[in-house]
Amino acid sequence: MTRVQNRRARARGGELDDCLRACAVHSGKLVGSIDRRRIELSEQLRKLLVVWGTTPPTAAPAPASGATALLKRAVKGSAAAPSGGIAPELLDALLAVANQALKCGYDDELNLALVISDTVLAHRKNSRAGWRLRARLLEALGEETEAREAYERYLGLTDEDGFGVTAKIAGLKVAADRERQLLELLKRQVPDAQAFARGNPTEIWAEGLTAHALGDWAAAEPRMVGALLALADDGAPVADRQDLFSQYLDLRITVDSDVTALTEVLELYAEQRRGRMRGPVADPTIGGVKWISLGEFRNRIAGKSVCLIANSGRVGASSMGAEIDAYDIVVRFNSYKIDPKHTGSRTDIHATIHKHGFNWDKQVDTRLVFGGISGDWKWSLRNRLVPGAQTHLGDESLRWPVRNIGRLSSDQWSGIPTTGFNMLFLLDFLDVSPTLDLIGFDFYESGAYRVQEAMKLAITSVHEYTSEKAWVMERAQSMTDMRISLR
């Protein structure tokens, strides 16, 4: 059975009770797993089952009847009509399970994520998180056309593209276009391939490999290209097509003496691969941004009063806007929200984790992007930075202050440091600011205060909030309800 057939046979969802039972069954399958990703999935499933057991059922809506019911049943591929709504706590727990299942990447987990995705959208057809989950899942399954449509549905429901979806859509479109051009080029270069494009691609590919092993490239190449054409016509998953493209090119490079023709193919192959990895970069210089190193950043803040503004509910009701704007340098984090009366109106330094793009389009003097893995950090800068939105940008010497500057290993500091702690650690380490104040830092005791699109983001458990709070309190010189002064 091909992966295309497997894809078509995947389980689908829609009914909440069936979805929850599937989650309970899957939880049992993971007992004793030593796979880190599955262990994390198991924990999310445990949390879901606890929420399921403690959440009262929601009232079922009146069933559709007459023409409405007929119309719903006529929609191709529509899930079964939901028997009731999903409580917010249960919805969040389901999405957390699906997102972790997607990270696992195995077929069983992708099936579970698909069931949850169907169920969420059957009950919450305008769920932003649901449509983004659906798009990421379809992309993982290699169904890029449907994935683009789901990403576009997500964008239509939000004003904040904090996850770089616009660039993702553009990249997928470019990739699909380049792959079509690549296949057309191969048709012209290997005209005999069309004779094999109507057969079974697995069998045709095997024949091509056999011919190559016998040293008959003239017989092997048309069969291999024919198999590629057949896979494309059949709508095979992207991963399957890319795998065979790679194998074909590896073999062709060893036997092809026509450098010009081979270069044409390799260029298109590289472009479609690059499009899937990242969207097109309109301005590689990021608007002529000035990269700054650790030493240059130190000189820019030396002798200036600095305040760090928490994304906390306490700040959102503080009425401290004028006091905040009176500091020389105002630092804000990640998905900060501006309400001049309470938060102040100025942002001089935006410190953000690389994994999402909230507020990256807001004009600031300096943007520091933090990330633990250099390659992922560079990918985010390339895809998410908005040209002209920052004058100065931290270079790799400022990428991960707690680990790279403070040299605190995971043995010394087990949790992943938050954006706020990385920034505070950096400022404390440099020790050039006569005033260093934290405004509204209650470590989420008063809840989050963020841009609307980010309010659904979980307060993740991978951070050591208790340890970070203890570190701050050890260095505090004075403290009020709203302000902690470290200098």
Side-chain angles (χ1 to χ4, degrees):
M1 181 178 286
T2 68
R3 286 187 61 178
V4 176
Q5 291 170 319
N6 275 326
R7 176 190 63 188
R8 290 170 181 159
R10 288 186 183 277
R12 304 307 298 256
E15 289 290 348
L16 180 57
D17 286 346
D18 291 342
C19 174
L20 290 169
R21 280 193 289 271
C23 289
V25 170
H26 201 88
S27 181
K29 293 179 181 178
L30 299 181
V31 174
S33 174
I34 59 173
D35 185 294
R36 177 183 58 80
R37 291 170 297 181
R38 280 180 160 158
I39 291 171
E40 292 172 357
L41 173 60
S42 181
E43 175 62 17
Q44 293 299 335
L45 282 164
R46 184 192 66 79
K47 292 178 180 178
L48 168 64
L49 297 178
V50 170
V51 173
W52 182 18
T54 57
T55 301
T58 56
S65 61
T68 302
L70 291 172
L71 179 61
K72 287 185 175 181
R73 287 198 292 270
V75 176
K76 182 180 179 181
S78 63
S83 58
I86 304 180
E89 299 84 356
L90 195 55
L91 176 65
D92 290 345
L94 279 168
L95 289 169
V97 167
N99 281 311
Q100 186 57 47
L102 185 53
K103 290 179 184 178
C104 291
Y106 307 119
D107 266 355
D108 282 353
E109 279 69 34
L110 292 178
N111 275 330
L112 180 65
L114 185 59
V115 169
I116 294 174
S117 171
D118 284 347
T119 303
V120 167
L121 291 176
H123 290 261
R124 298 283 189 93
K125 65 179 182 179
N126 288 327
S127 167
R128 292 189 297 268
W131 279 109
R132 181 169 171 266
L133 167 65
R134 171 61 60 87
R136 293 167 59 227
L137 177 58
L138 289 169
E139 188 181 356
L141 294 173
E143 300 181 34
E144 287 188 349
T145 300
E146 295 87 346
R148 290 202 309 269
E149 292 171 357
Y151 277 129
E152 286 165 354
R153 285 291 300 270
Y154 165 80
L155 281 182
L157 295 167
T158 182
D159 296 324
E160 289 279 347
D161 184 16
F163 296 104
V165 171
T166 301
K168 170 62 71 176
I169 293 172
L172 291 177
K173 287 180 177 177
V174 167
D177 185 56
R178 295 297 181 272
E179 186 174 348
R180 282 193 295 271
Q181 292 178 31
L182 175 57
L183 290 169
E184 290 299 323
L185 176 62
L186 290 175
K187 286 180 184 178
R188 295 195 298 272
Q189 290 185 351
V190 191
D192 293 344
Q194 302 244 37
F196 300 97
R198 291 179 293 276
N200 182 298
T202 303
E203 295 175 1
I204 296 167
W205 184 263
E207 291 174 7
L209 289 178
T210 300
H212 175 265
L214 295 173
D216 189 355
W217 180 246
E221 186 175 28
R223 288 168 171 80
M224 289 183 171
V225 174
L228 288 169
L229 296 173
L231 281 177
D233 288 342
D234 194 34
V238 170
D240 288 358
R241 305 200 306 265
Q242 294 301 300
D243 183 46
L244 293 196
F245 266 127
S246 177
Q247 290 183 48
Y248 163 68
L249 289 174
D250 283 344
L251 296 176
R252 179 169 170 175
I253 287 170
T254 63
V255 299
D256 198 337
S257 59
D258 188 341
V259 176
T260 301
L262 180 59
T263 300
E264 283 185 88
V265 172
L266 291 174
E267 285 178 349
L268 285 172
Y269 174 76
E271 285 185 33
Q272 57 94 28
R273 291 280 292 183
R274 189 160 50 242
R276 291 187 169 97
M277 292 172 64
R278 61 171 175 79
V281 180
D283 183 0
T285 66
I286 319 298
V289 70
K290 299 175 184 175
W291 293 82
I292 57 173
S293 64
L294 174 62
E296 291 165 327
F297 178 74
R298 176 191 182 279
N299 293 338
R300 292 190 60 77
I301 66 171
K304 297 178 180 177
S305 62
V306 179
C307 69
L308 293 78
I309 313 302
N311 295 342
S312 68
R314 187 170 294 183
V315 168
S318 68
S319 298
M320 287 188 64
E323 291 182 60
I324 290 170
D325 283 339
Y327 285 83
D328 295 328
I329 295 177
V330 179
V331 183
R332 302 188 195 273
F333 302 102
N334 295 317
S335 52
Y336 68 85
K337 181 179 178 180
I338 292 292
D339 178 349
K341 177 182 176 181
H342 301 295
T343 66
S345 58
R346 212 177 74 245
T347 306
D348 302 296
I349 298 175
H350 178 212
T352 181
I353 192 67
H354 77 90
K355 291 185 176 181
H356 56 62
F358 295 111
N359 291 318
W360 288 38
D361 59 338
K362 301 298 188 293
Q363 183 66 49
V364 295
D365 177 79
T366 301
R367 184 161 278 113
L368 299 183
V369 181
F370 298 141
I373 300 174
S374 178
D376 292 348
W377 175 79
K378 290 173 180 175
W379 185 94
S380 293
L381 293 186
R382 183 188 298 272
N383 283 278
R384 295 192 169 116
L385 280 169
V386 178
Q390 55 278 308
T391 304
H392 301 92
L393 179 66
D395 70 7
E396 191 144 11
S397 67
L398 292 162
R399 172 175 59 82
W400 206 225
V402 172
R403 303 291 194 215
N404 297 347
I405 296 172
R407 302 296 179 188
L408 295 183
S409 66
S410 55
D411 292 334
Q412 297 166 291
W413 194 275
S414 58
I416 298 174
T418 62
T419 302
F421 187 60
N422 266 303
M423 188 71 220
L424 181 57
F425 185 93
L426 172 62
L427 294 170
D428 183 73
F429 174 86
L430 293 174
D431 195 20
V432 293
S433 304
T435 301
L436 183 55
D437 289 349
L438 286 70
I439 307 294
F441 275 73
D442 58 11
F443 303 90
Y444 290 111
E445 290 176 6
S446 62
Y449 185 75
R450 304 164 169 161
V451 294
Q452 185 59 40
E453 181 62 18
M455 285 300 288
K456 281 286 187 180
L457 293 179
I459 298 174
T460 177
S461 60
V462 300
H463 300 305
E464 289 281 355
Y465 294 110
T466 302
S467 301
E468 293 186 5
K469 182 177 181 179
W471 186 95
V472 170
M473 294 310 173
E474 286 173 5
R475 290 158 177 78
Q477 300 295 309
S478 64
M479 220 175 123
T480 68
D481 229 20
M482 282 299 300
R483 194 187 326 256
I484 304 173
S485 298
L486 270 61
R487 296 290 186 274

